[in-house]
Amino acid sequence: MQLTRAQLYDHFVISDLMQDNAIRLTYTFYDRLVLGSAVPSQEPLQLTAPNEFKSAYFLERRELGVINIGSTGNVIVDGKSYELNHLDCLYVGMGAKEVSFTSEDLMKPSMYYLLSAPAHKSFPTTLVSKADASPQLMGGSMNSNERVVYKYIYQQGVESCQLVMGLTLLSDGSVWNSFPPHTHTRRSEVYFYFNLQDSNRVFHFVGDAIETRHVVIANNQAVLSPPWSTHFGCGTSAYGFIWGMAGENKEYTDMDPLPIQNLV
């Protein structure tokens, strides 16, 4: 990877998410993923199609995953309201014409993280609470990577065309994520980091196994992981991150492991 430090951040780090009273979207060429955020701190926010789509509405040819990292709010899909509490997830299928975001308490607004992928078939809009997401304990305190994984949209969960989405919460005293390191040759991935105090950071590693680089990530920032890139990180405290993928398949376990001793 021959990018300068500035180019590395410019290509892979998204830092303008979770802005008050705004929808922020980033269109990527990695499996045509679109990631973004919606923070309705003054009024409801309507999701509209960016010019790049050349479509009449956002979900004309796409599907959408939404996870709320803020206070309770509602996502309204074609007139039907879905209540999302903290860390609940909503899948919205292709063909939904109107999507808007609200907060129950504007003084403590909802903070919606958005991830969208191209779709070829319409699946039902489905709400999944954090309590129903089949938490899986991974890692351990001996390796400082004890964490709980919550899977929402995946092969054995909510149906989708190609979108896979969930989140991971690290236990107190654990700082390493995504071990053992791996790549996803058949799909791209995005990490969105949250639950970090202003004084803390995550050192997120990208690149080929034989030439890793790192970027320093603050709270509510995201990192793109192309299919060829490894992705793992270490924080100065415990944190959470939302992971989302799209590509050839929806199998959560489809990954190519990278032995730690081979990393350079």
Side-chain angles (χ1 to χ4, degrees):
M1 184 185 294
Q2 302 301 317
L3 298 178
T4 65
R5 176 65 57 180
Q7 290 171 330
L8 192 66
Y9 280 81
D10 186 56
H11 278 74
F12 299 114
V13 177
I14 294 90
S15 58
D16 62 347
L17 299 170
M18 299 302 170
Q19 302 295 313
D20 281 348
N21 203 45
I23 292 179
R24 308 290 298 182
L25 298 172
T26 296
Y27 185 101
T28 86
F29 289 109
Y30 297 118
D31 288 294
R32 302 285 172 171
L33 284 167
V34 172
L35 66 144
S37 62
V39 182
S41 58
Q42 298 179 26
E43 58 189 5
L45 297 175
Q46 185 80 29
L47 184 64
T48 59
N51 291 332
E52 290 88 346
F53 289 6
K54 300 299 180 184
S55 61
Y57 51 95
F58 191 97
L59 294 173
E60 184 176 357
R61 300 183 295 270
R62 285 184 160 266
E63 57 189 356
L64 173 69
V66 181
I67 293 180
N68 179 18
I69 67 166
S71 299
T72 299
N74 288 270
V75 180
I76 298 94
V77 181
D78 287 341
K80 183 175 180 179
S81 183
Y82 298 86
E83 183 179 84
L84 271 71
N85 295 306
H86 185 63
L87 300 186
D88 289 350
C89 176
L90 182 70
Y91 170 81
V92 187
M94 183 185 77
K97 292 185 177 179
E98 294 185 359
V99 179
S100 59
F101 305 93
T102 68
S103 298
E104 286 193 1
D105 183 352
L106 295 180
M107 299 300 294
K108 297 178 180 178
S110 307
M111 301 173 69
Y112 301 103
Y113 175 71
L114 318 176
L115 189 65
S116 174
H120 60 274
K121 179 182 178 180
S122 180
F123 287 101
T125 295
T126 305
L127 176 65
V128 185
S129 70
K130 174 175 174 283
D132 294 332
S134 302
Q136 178 182 0
L137 181 64
M138 299 184 69
S141 58
M142 291 292 291
N143 293 317
S144 302
N145 66 356
E146 183 176 279
R147 58 201 189 273
V148 180
V149 176
Y150 297 85
K151 291 176 279 188
Y152 294 105
I153 306 168
Y154 69 113
Q155 188 69 39
Q156 289 76 38
V158 175
E159 285 191 290
S160 68
C161 288
Q162 62 169 324
L163 189 63
V164 177
M165 196 172 181
L167 62 88
T168 299
L169 300 177
L170 274 73
S171 303
D172 288 342
S174 288
V175 292
W176 285 97
N177 74 62
S178 305
F179 265 74
H182 56 269
T183 60
H184 298 290
T185 306
R186 288 153 293 281
R187 55 194 178 189
S188 304
E189 186 165 19
V190 183
Y191 276 16
F192 169 76
Y193 287 98
F194 66 101
N195 276 3
L196 271 171
Q197 298 297 319
D198 289 343
S199 59
N200 288 313
R201 294 292 187 270
V202 172
F203 291 74
H204 180 97
F205 291 83
V206 299
D208 189 273
I210 62 172
E211 192 176 354
T212 58
R213 303 278 296 277
H214 75 271
V215 289
V216 182
I217 301 299
N219 192 45
N220 294 342
Q221 292 185 335
V223 186
L224 302 176
S225 295
W228 50 264
S229 177
T230 186
H231 41 280
F232 61 95
C234 184
T236 58
S237 70
Y239 51 90
F241 63 98
I242 296 172
W243 42 265
M245 296 172 274
E248 291 289 340
N249 62 63
K250 297 183 292 181
E251 286 294 340
Y252 174 79
T253 57
D254 179 20
M255 57 188 72
D256 303 308
L258 298 171
I260 295 175
Q261 60 269 29
N262 292 353
L263 296 177
V264 177

